[in-house]
Amino acid sequence: MEKLRDQILSMKPPDPLLLAIESSCDDTSVAVLRGSVPVSNIISSQLVHNQFGGVVPEMASREHMRNIRAVAEQAILQAEVSVNQLDAIAYTKGPGLPGSLMVGASFAKGLALSLGKPLISVNHMEAHVLSLFIGENPATFPFLCLVVSGGHTMMVMVEDWNKMQILGSTTDDAVGEAFDKCAKLLGLGYPGGKLIDDLAKKGNPKAFQFPVAKTAAFCFSYSGVKTSFLYFLREKDPKWIEENLPDICASIQNALLKPLLDASSKALQEFGISKLGIAGGVAANSSLRIHLGSICEKMGANFYFPAFEYCTDNAAMIGRAAYFKYQQKMFAELSEGTESRLAIGHS
Ligand code: KG4
Ligand code: ZN
């Protein structure tokens, strides 16, 4: 009897069941997590923007409105749970497109209110960093993190889940944005990062030279390389471009990634921290992963990267970040707003 009582007392309660919503840009995503482990992660990408070569904010909000309920139902169905079992609802507070953020936040608040469950607000950029805590080889604090997405390019010192400091960032375009703009100049689709990555695999990265901007330590600039790419293409015949597409993609990709590789080597040397992570959509880039992997190996540093499905925008990373907050009971008020310009380190 005594033994049974001890056994019951030592039994851990199951990890909480969290539902997380991501709607900061043009992907409507809902995930269900058991503690830190995603059990579903549904992502519905909005195809309406493809014809415009970039995201149209008003259309993005409308598409979120149209999709969010079905995406949430699918996430719950795939996780094989019922809404009544959920312990908390998390959503992206910012940064992002105002209208898009509001759709996710309103849906999360309605759900939290009707279920009588706590609400957790999450900083989207911090969630990209904390995506490195999903899976079998999670990062350990402290570490340096290169955050590279469609809207951000920065080197971050990550001391803890709620203690991050930006060491430097882009002074103009983000690297993902530069990938997308170069892809558009080549007449490829949107978003163009993955398309350039795929074509570059068959090309020579040294075939053509594009200037790489010199900036202050851990700062980046992409407007110059983008303009030189435009001038380079303007002088060429469309047929020649088509025939040389793999070499062109490999060369421009090489120019876009070089500053990221240089900054990473410098950060590892300068801060005496032998752990580097990459996060955000561009962290899916195969050449970036290969080169950073070998830099880390040469420097005896650990290299962390998210699984592909957690690189580009997804709700699982929002849920993972929310779990850190859940454990500290850091819940949001129903009156909490969204912030389109929320910086890292300000959750
Ligand atoms: O993190 P994300 O989904 O959205 C933002 O928060 O911005 O990042 C999207 C960006 C796009 O610019 C896209 O072209 C880029 O990530 N991207 C890539 C790759 N996959 C996505 N860039 C280079 N190589 C890739 N494989
Ligand atoms: Zn993102």
Side-chain angles (χ1 to χ4, degrees):
M1 196 66 186
E2 191 104 315
K3 217 167 161 200
L4 184 65
R5 205 198 63 165
D6 285 352
Q7 253 176 13
I8 290 170
L9 284 176
S10 70
M11 259 165 63
K12 268 189 17 195
D15 283 334
L17 205 54
L18 310 175
L19 181 129
I21 297 166
E22 156 60 28
S23 70
S24 65
C25 193
D26 59 335
D27 292 311
T28 315
S29 180
V30 180
V32 174
L33 288 87
R34 173 66 76 187
S36 63
V37 182
V39 279
S40 66
N41 183 36
I42 307 297
I43 304 169
S44 167
S45 295
Q46 303 176 356
L47 304 177
V48 292
H49 309 286
N50 292 12
Q51 57 186 302
F52 302 101
V55 179
V56 183
E58 173 71 20
M59 285 179 139
S61 324
R62 288 173 191 273
E63 284 298 296
H64 284 306
M65 287 276 274
R66 233 190 301 273
N67 297 338
I68 197 158
R69 183 181 168 163
V71 173
E73 279 176 355
Q74 215 183 325
I76 288 166
L77 201 73
Q78 204 181 89
E80 296 181 0
V81 295
S82 94
V83 277
N84 297 315
Q85 289 173 275
L86 297 172
D87 293 298
I89 312 297
Y91 73 96
T92 304
K93 179 178 175 179
L97 299 171
S100 291
L101 289 168
M102 272 189 245
V103 176
S106 305
F107 192 85
K109 288 179 184 193
L111 204 54
L113 184 64
S114 64
L115 296 172
K117 291 295 155 72
L119 185 69
I120 303 175
S121 67
V122 171
N123 179 318
H124 177 90
M125 297 316 295
E126 292 179 4
H128 270 303
V129 172
L130 298 173
S131 68
L132 293 168
F133 290 82
I134 301 175
E136 282 175 8
N137 296 305
T140 58
F141 300 113
F143 62 97
L144 292 153
C145 191
L146 184 63
V147 183
V148 277
S149 70
H152 295 81
T153 303
M154 51 195 168
M155 183 63 77
V156 181
M157 169 73 78
V158 187
E159 287 178 49
D160 211 332
W161 70 269
N162 58 352
K163 202 164 176 218
M164 301 185 195
Q165 194 198 338
I166 300 174
L167 302 173
S169 57
T170 180
T171 50
D172 41 55
D173 289 353
V175 62
E177 200 178 352
F179 264 103
D180 294 338
K181 285 180 179 169
C182 291
K184 194 175 174 183
L185 292 173
L186 286 168
L188 305 173
Y190 175 86
K194 179 154 182 0
L195 303 169
I196 291 187
D197 186 2
D198 289 344
L199 283 159
K201 284 178 188 151
K202 291 167 243 145
N204 172 11
K206 300 216 168 94
F208 311 105
Q209 298 290 317
F210 299 103
V212 178
K214 291 246 176 305
T215 55
F218 314 121
C219 290
F220 308 90
S221 168
Y222 282 105
S223 60
V225 61
K226 194 186 65 194
T227 311
S228 90
F229 191 58
L230 170 72
Y231 289 159
F232 169 84
L233 292 178
R234 257 202 331 217
E235 290 163 8
K236 304 284 186 289
D237 176 64
K239 194 159 174 285
W240 182 91
I241 294 176
E242 207 183 314
E243 283 166 6
N244 291 278
L245 210 46
D247 282 352
I248 297 171
C249 287
S251 301
I252 188 65
Q253 174 170 279
N254 191 42
L256 296 175
L257 298 185
K258 174 124 189 356
L260 306 178
L261 305 180
D262 292 347
S264 301
S265 306
K266 192 170 164 50
L268 285 169
Q269 274 162 9
E270 203 159 296
F271 293 96
I273 291 179
S274 53
K275 289 183 269 179
L276 175 78
I278 46 168
V282 183
N285 185 274
S286 53
S287 178
L288 181 65
R289 286 171 176 239
I290 291 168
H291 284 102
L292 282 180
S294 61
I295 286 174
C296 286
E297 198 181 324
K298 271 189 210 131
M299 297 179 75
N302 288 345
F303 180 44
Y304 308 125
F305 49 90
F308 286 112
E309 61 186 305
Y310 306 129
C311 287
T312 43
D313 290 347
N314 67 92
M317 70 179 193
I318 302 300
R320 181 63 190 90
Y323 183 50
F324 280 109
K325 282 191 156 182
Y326 184 93
Q327 287 169 306
Q328 306 299 321
K329 296 196 169 28
M330 289 174 68
F331 301 130
E333 298 290 332
L334 279 173
S335 58
E336 184 153 328
T338 53
E339 286 186 38
S340 58
R341 292 188 165 272
L342 193 63
I344 222 164
H346 295 260
S347 37

